[in-house]
Amino acid sequence: MRSFVLFLMACSLFSCTDKPVRKPFTAVEIETIYSDSVSIRAIEFLDGNTLAFAGNKGIYGTIDLPSGKVRTNTMKYHTVIPEFRAVTHTPTDFFMLSVANPALLYKTGDRGRMDLVYMEEDEAVFYDAMRFWNDTEGIAIGDNVKGCLSILITRDGGNTWNKSLCSDIPEFIEGEGAFAASNTNIEVYGDHTWIATTKRILYSSDKGKTWESFTTPVKTEEATEGIYSIDFYDTDLGVAIGGDYTRPDGNEANKAITKDGGKTWQLLANGMGPGYKSCVQFVPNSNGTGIVATGFTGISYSQDMGRTWNQLSDEGFYTLLFLNGNIAYAAGKNRISRLVFK
């Protein structure tokens, strides 16, 4: 009985049900695990032990994280050397999509090679990012071609891809496009999908069958301004970041948050904190309070849902993905690195 009373007294002082409070990050250790003369804007975890990537010069490959062993290959289509800025995967296959004319979408094929499953030829074609909702259904987003944004959908595990009709997408806004900066201007959560364009947020609740359009307060006057990256912690809480890469110090109206699934957005740290960033990610298991943003301007961190920010490193990367609550991998110009947040 005495032990039980002591237990109750302890619970009155320290909640016995609350999860441990995550300590804020104060530093990040950076270790380069792959270097080459390649620009890498798209990385993807195939599992907890394998990181896949693709970049310019047709280069793509994998890194075995426990051993550090790197395997690379080079893709060439006739005389075209593609530039890849979008990758994704299912439990059985890896996909990579090149940006410009001709757009080339490859899928893991037999005997370990990559098979071309979609090609689009048009001077205006430019693809930005891709994701899968589940094992069979996936999406890719690209810029305006013939009067509407380019949205590719697969429903058969990536074997075939079909372009959405302009009549099925919200009406095109003059000057609208998207940024192929980090493979993160599209986010999926369950059946939900959010796409950040240079002008707005497109939202689908049914895996790309129907779409809605939402505005944000992020600046979009110049062609180089707008949202470059979005992330969602759940179906309600999301964050967006961008700015203008030609004026990277500008930090006005370049960060925003939503708490209602993207319907409405409010500016974050307006005129304060980081300027241009190309990638933003919630810290896993942080209840949505931890956010890390990166770009060629360095790595910034917020512990309070974007209200205030600290610069953890001046080392620049284009894109970043968390493996767990403290370890992330980032890619950029000529390298991929392992990041340990402390």
Side-chain angles (χ1 to χ4, degrees), residues 170-185:
E171 186 175 352
F172 176 70
I173 299 174
E174 185 64 31
E176 185 176 27
F179 294 113
S182 60
N183 196 39
T184 58
N185 70 338

Side-chain angles (χ1 to χ4, degrees), residues 143 174-181 197-199 218-229 241-250 252-254 275-278 296:
D143 287 358
E174 185 64 31
E176 185 176 27
F179 294 113
T197 78
T198 56
K199 300 293 184 182
V218 174
K219 288 175 64 175
T220 63
E221 286 84 0
E222 302 295 330
T224 50
E225 288 180 333
I227 298 172
Y228 281 71
S229 177
I241 203 163
D244 185 341
Y245 75 89
T246 67
R247 295 190 292 271
D249 293 333
E252 293 184 355
N254 74 316
Y276 166 77
K277 298 293 181 185
S278 56
F296 65 78

Side-chain angles (χ1 to χ4, degrees), residues 312-324:
L312 296 184
S313 174
D314 292 332
E315 293 197 40
F317 297 93
Y318 299 139
T319 189
L320 174 147
L321 287 178
F322 274 94
L323 179 64
N324 55 44

Side-chain angles (χ1 to χ4, degrees), residues 93-95 105-109 113-117 157-159:
D93 291 296
F94 172 65
F95 299 81
L105 200 166
Y106 290 91
K107 168 185 176 295
T108 306
R113 67 185 182 187
M114 300 295 289
D115 287 343
L116 183 65
V117 292
N159 292 310

Side-chain angles (χ1 to χ4, degrees), residues 21 25 49 98 177 185 206:
V21 177
F25 297 149
N49 293 319
S98 67
N185 70 338
D206 54 11

Side-chain angles (χ1 to χ4, degrees), residues 50-67:
T50 308
L51 181 73
F53 63 92
N56 67 344
K57 302 181 182 180
I59 295 175
Y60 65 99
T62 60
I63 302 174
D64 181 75
L65 300 179
S67 69

